[in-house]
Amino acid sequence: MSVWDDLVGQERVSEQLGAAARDADALVTAAGTDTPPPESSKMTHAWLFTGPPGSGRATAARAFAAALQCTSPDRALGGAPGCGFCDGCHTALIGTHADVEVVRTDMLSIGVKETRELVRRAQLSPAVGRWQVIVLEDADRLTEGAGNVLLKAVEEPAPRTVWLLCAPSLEDVLPTIRSRCRHLTLRTPPVDAVADMLVRRDGIEPDVAAAAARATQGHIDRARRLATDPRARERRNAVLKLPLRVEEIGGCLKAAQELIDTATEDAKQVAEEVDVKETDELKAALGAAQGGRMPRGTAGAMKELEDKQKRRRTRTQRDSLDLALTELTALYRDVLALQLGSEVAIANTEVQDMLRRLALAASPEATLRRIEAISACRTALDRNVAPLLAVEAMTVALRAG
């Protein structure tokens, strides 16, 4: 099994990255011999992976990082890097390789302080591997100041350092950074390919895998969660029933409050799993006695941790809300497809009766206005509008049509 096997429906990208990994292997080999490197190398020091959510941007970046660290003896016999079995591939894929730094954030943004630490690491030579690889999964969350810090490192990279940046689109990255990266675009994976992957890699029943892949329209992570997490299925079922609950103003307000409460509960669940452990670890590191008072001068560190945890809860709540709005958009997209007699496959087949009822009760123009209302709600949340106000405005607009 090679490192590229988890790149679902991305054959072209896999070929490009495989060619670059072969050239990278040749560059490292030539560095220790008198053999000159190839003149037209497909390898470069900075890459930008873009594509819609669920397309596998981070998966592609991690697979490429593993291929760059591949130590399989088959390479000397003409084998392609990225075997998936050697120590270099295995440790890079599971996140324990000393020279592969994978950066993902559960905050709203990545600041200057964190980026400077990455830049400092990028200047180091590989400790045990063939390349120093920095995978930045949320490059779109860099603040402007952080982006300017990163720019210098991308402009003048260390000889054996590779930057792998991931973002939804080119517009989400500073023009000065993206102009210095080789760009790869991933597509939304086919539904059948996602279902096959869930069966093959996760052992999920074919019918369940097919339903999850169809419901999420090829979003790999959401499909896996939907297929394996009963709570995710319950939450989705509640969201799909929302159009039937907004026939009265009271129902609109109640539905909005329940969406907010569900998102808040998701954030609380994450906090319970992580916050207590983080707080206990910091107290122990600062020398607090068991159940005793904190030493003098440590209040600032505790306050910084509390602020970080608060930002994470905000991010989790917004992500949960955004997922609900995405599912609601998909439902009205199905309604519009029925109204227009489109041959596009229906995603929410389990509620076809409700879809037909909604399609007969409104015009295509009204359905489009409802989709626009959901989009406006997502935009408002991005601009820090109070979540309850934004969602209430959306549910009232859904009622008006």
Side-chain angles (χ1 to χ4, degrees):
M1 182 185 73
S2 78
V3 298
W4 315 112
D5 285 356
D6 283 345
L7 278 182
V8 181
Q10 311 293 347
E11 291 77 12
R12 182 181 60 83
V13 170
S14 297
E15 291 175 4
Q16 290 178 282
L17 292 177
R22 288 191 292 273
D23 284 353
D25 183 63
L27 287 171
V28 174
T29 303
T33 67
D34 295 330
T35 305
E39 294 181 1
S40 57
S41 175
K42 296 180 176 62
M43 181 58 186
T44 188
H45 68 282
W47 297 75
L48 176 58
F49 299 83
T50 65
S55 58
R57 301 184 302 261
T59 300
R62 289 195 297 268
F64 188 37
L68 293 176
Q69 305 291 7
C70 183
T71 56
S72 170
D74 292 342
R75 293 176 297 105
L77 304 176
C83 65
F85 295 103
C86 71
D87 185 65
C89 287
H90 179 67
T91 54
L93 289 174
I94 66 174
T96 60
H97 196 290
D99 295 314
V100 177
E101 179 76 5
V102 178
V103 182
R104 61 178 68 88
T105 183
D106 47 15
M107 304 299 172
L108 295 174
S109 62
I110 300 174
V112 171
K113 181 179 178 181
E114 302 97 309
T115 308
R116 281 179 177 157
E117 179 59 28
L118 282 180
V119 170
R120 184 200 64 78
R121 168 160 183 162
Q123 301 305 312
L124 302 176
S125 298
V128 296
R130 301 164 68 79
W131 296 87
Q132 180 78 249
V133 185
I134 312 291
V135 180
L136 187 55
E137 292 189 0
D138 300 295
D140 55 307
R141 295 189 180 272
L142 288 166
T143 64
E144 185 176 354
N148 291 329
V149 170
L150 179 63
L151 175 62
K152 187 68 174 176
V154 174
E155 280 182 325
E156 301 175 2
R160 297 272 289 278
T161 294
V162 182
W163 288 90
L164 307 180
L165 312 181
C166 305
S169 69
L170 283 174
E171 289 69 28
D172 291 310
V173 181
L174 286 176
T176 48
I177 291 179
R178 67 184 187 231
S179 66
R180 289 162 175 81
C181 298
R182 184 164 297 169
H183 180 217
L184 289 179
T185 303
L186 284 75
R187 62 171 182 151
T188 299
V191 170
D192 291 343
V194 173
D196 178 70
M197 190 267 303
L198 293 176
V199 173
R200 175 169 46 88
R201 297 300 303 273
D202 299 284
I204 297 170
E205 291 296 324
D207 291 345
V208 176
R214 183 174 58 250
T216 57
Q217 290 295 284
H219 191 301
I220 299 172
D221 292 336
R222 284 173 49 206
R224 180 180 284 115
R225 183 181 177 190
L226 195 62
T228 58
D229 186 354
R231 187 171 179 274
R233 293 194 290 271
E234 291 174 5
R235 185 194 53 74
R236 179 173 180 273
N237 290 336
V239 170
L240 295 182
K241 294 176 182 177
L242 187 143
L244 301 179
R245 303 177 55 200
V246 296
E247 296 178 354
E248 302 292 337
I249 289 295
C252 294
L253 301 181
K254 185 177 180 180
Q257 185 63 63
E258 289 180 2
L259 277 180
I260 297 298
D261 290 344
T262 299
T264 303
E265 183 61 30
D266 286 344
K268 181 180 178 181
Q269 184 178 12
V270 171
E272 289 176 349
E273 295 173 355
V274 180
D275 288 4
V276 174
K277 180 180 178 182
E278 283 183 344
T279 302
D280 290 343
E281 288 176 350
L282 181 59
K283 286 182 177 179
L286 294 175
Q290 184 69 28
R293 298 178 61 183
M294 294 293 296
R296 281 174 169 267
T298 60
M302 292 301 300
K303 181 65 166 58
E304 183 179 352
L305 177 61
E306 290 170 2
D307 291 342
K308 172 186 173 183
Q309 292 171 344
K310 182 178 179 181
R311 292 194 300 271
R312 180 167 56 212
R313 286 193 291 271
T314 301
R315 164 81 186 269
T316 304
Q317 184 192 45
R318 288 188 183 179
D319 285 351
S320 179
L321 273 176
D322 192 66
L323 176 57
L325 298 179
T326 299
E327 291 170 340
L328 200 54
T329 302
L331 184 140
Y332 280 112
R333 168 257 191 200
D334 286 346
V335 172
L336 187 62
L338 291 176
Q339 290 172 329
L340 298 178
S342 171
E343 296 181 358
V344 173
I346 298 299
N348 300 285
T349 55
E350 68 272 33
V351 291
Q352 284 195 37
D353 290 342
M354 185 184 75
L355 294 176
R356 294 192 186 95
R357 174 180 168 183
L358 293 173
L360 292 173
S363 65
E365 292 79 9
T367 302
L368 282 173
R369 286 194 294 272
R370 290 181 168 115
I371 293 174
E372 290 171 356
I374 299 170
S375 178
C377 180
R378 298 178 71 181
T379 301
L381 292 172
D382 282 341
R383 295 176 177 173
N384 292 321
V385 173
L388 183 57
L389 291 178
V391 177
E392 284 179 345
M394 178 197 72
T395 54
V396 171
L398 294 180
R399 174 179 178 270

